[in-house]
Amino acid sequence: MPESRVARPRRYLVCEPGFFAVRYAINPWMRPDRPVDVSLARRQWLSLVDAYRRHGHTVETVEPLPGLPDMVFAANAAVVVDGRVFGSRFHAPERRPESVPYAAWFKAHGFDVQHPESVCEGEGDLVPAGRWILAGTGFRTAPEAHREAQEFFGVPVIGLTLVDPYFYHLDTALFVLDEENVAYYPEAFSPGSREVLERLYPDAVLATREDAMAFGLNSVSDGRHVFISPEATALADRLADRGYIPVPVGLSEFHKAGGGIKCCTQEIRS
């Protein structure tokens, strides 16, 4: 284990939860009869933004729009690699309009946007991991989108099948620690996909179901600091043992919609 992990400054895109609510149910976490504390949600979101900035990262914002309660989950809007933007085509009709304001933001900031032909939910299921992109399927993003992303980026895309509806996006079951390693919950994946992950990452940090259900794998790492749910205590301890520094940030209100830290964070890799 290295004595000191190295943090790399990141550029993040986020969306204020101005219209955040749980108005429909498109995953097992969502219950429209369970109200969201909007004031608390905003304070929690601001604490995440503040944590990023305190650790030297750039944070930019896209304006929320009324009628799009899940627009706060910026990660689902696109995936950006080497300044190239591969946009989103949402599975649920309720979320499809979100693609438009995010594409407009990227274009206004000088990016060209490739619009996928197949269902693809951005960094929710396309996770850049050093030499390749890990790509989830099974509940949202279509396998055809994996092929589209590979053709667009010219980067190997490795498909992984998700089998547990509580972990409907890859970024709820796995996150990248640095250029060489990841953390993940094995039982969220099909047997063959677990074998692939074991081959690619023999030294991966493995999470328990308890930590995964606490959104511990919906985390963001800058290579040293890991912004993580405070309820994922066992996972935080494992990360600390490996030389990473856990930075707890509570986003409990967003868990009601099936999201957490990573869901609220789009990384702009340019």
Side-chain angles (χ1 to χ4, degrees):
M1 181 189 76
E3 292 183 4
S4 179
R5 302 283 180 178
V6 178
R8 181 173 63 83
R10 310 294 174 113
R11 182 183 178 192
Y12 296 132
L13 178 65
V14 298
C15 180
E16 185 175 353
F19 302 100
F20 175 59
V22 179
R23 296 179 182 168
Y24 43 77
I26 58 173
N27 67 56
W29 302 94
M30 301 180 85
R31 288 178 46 190
D33 62 342
R34 184 170 58 168
V36 168
D37 185 331
V38 177
S39 177
L40 176 57
R42 186 173 187 278
R43 293 196 302 272
Q44 291 178 338
W45 181 85
L46 287 171
S47 72
L48 177 62
V49 172
D50 179 65
Y52 286 150
R53 289 177 171 153
R54 281 189 290 105
H55 288 84
H57 304 303
T58 299
V59 181
E60 300 185 51
T61 58
V62 60
E63 287 297 313
L65 294 179
L68 300 178
D70 282 341
M71 194 175 163
V72 67
F73 298 128
N76 302 152
V79 60
V80 186
V81 178
D82 294 332
R84 306 185 73 188
V85 181
F86 191 69
S88 61
R89 183 181 295 273
F90 286 93
H91 179 267
E94 294 90 342
R95 297 199 64 186
R96 289 174 190 162
E98 295 176 34
S99 299
V100 176
Y102 277 103
W105 187 94
F106 280 111
K107 290 175 182 176
H109 288 77
F111 296 91
D112 291 326
V113 180
Q114 173 76 15
H115 297 284
E117 296 181 4
S118 306
V119 171
C120 180
E121 300 202 342
E123 279 193 318
D125 277 323
L126 297 179
V127 178
R131 293 165 289 174
W132 45 65
I133 296 173
L134 302 176
T137 190
F139 296 99
R140 299 289 183 87
T141 297
E144 291 78 12
H146 299 179
R147 291 189 283 273
E148 286 187 62
Q150 180 166 281
E151 288 300 310
F152 178 67
F153 290 120
V155 174
V157 173
I158 298 170
L160 301 168
T161 301
L162 298 161
V163 296
D164 186 326
Y166 280 97
F167 309 107
Y168 57 92
H169 272 155
L170 184 58
D171 72 357
T172 65
L174 175 151
F175 74 96
V176 173
L177 287 163
D178 50 42
E179 293 294 303
E180 302 295 332
N181 209 6
V182 302
Y184 68 97
Y185 170 51
E187 284 70 24
F189 298 90
S190 68
S193 296
R194 289 200 298 270
E195 289 190 29
V196 169
L197 288 169
E198 289 166 6
R199 289 175 183 271
L200 294 178
Y201 302 105
D203 197 37
V205 178
L206 302 183
T208 64
R209 184 173 183 83
E210 289 74 21
D211 282 336
M213 292 291 285
F215 289 83
L217 292 165
N218 197 239
S219 295
V220 170
S221 172
D222 65 14
R224 185 182 188 207
H225 307 99
V226 178
F227 303 90
I228 188 171
S229 168
E231 289 81 21
T233 54
L235 179 57
D237 289 344
R238 290 192 186 95
L239 294 170
D241 289 343
R242 299 287 192 94
Y244 299 96
I245 301 175
V247 180
V249 181
L251 293 188
S252 59
E253 288 305 294
F254 299 94
H255 297 177
K256 296 176 180 179
I261 292 169
K262 177 55 193 172
C263 289
C264 291
T265 310
Q266 167 76 231
E267 183 172 350
I268 303 174
R269 303 169 185 85
S270 55

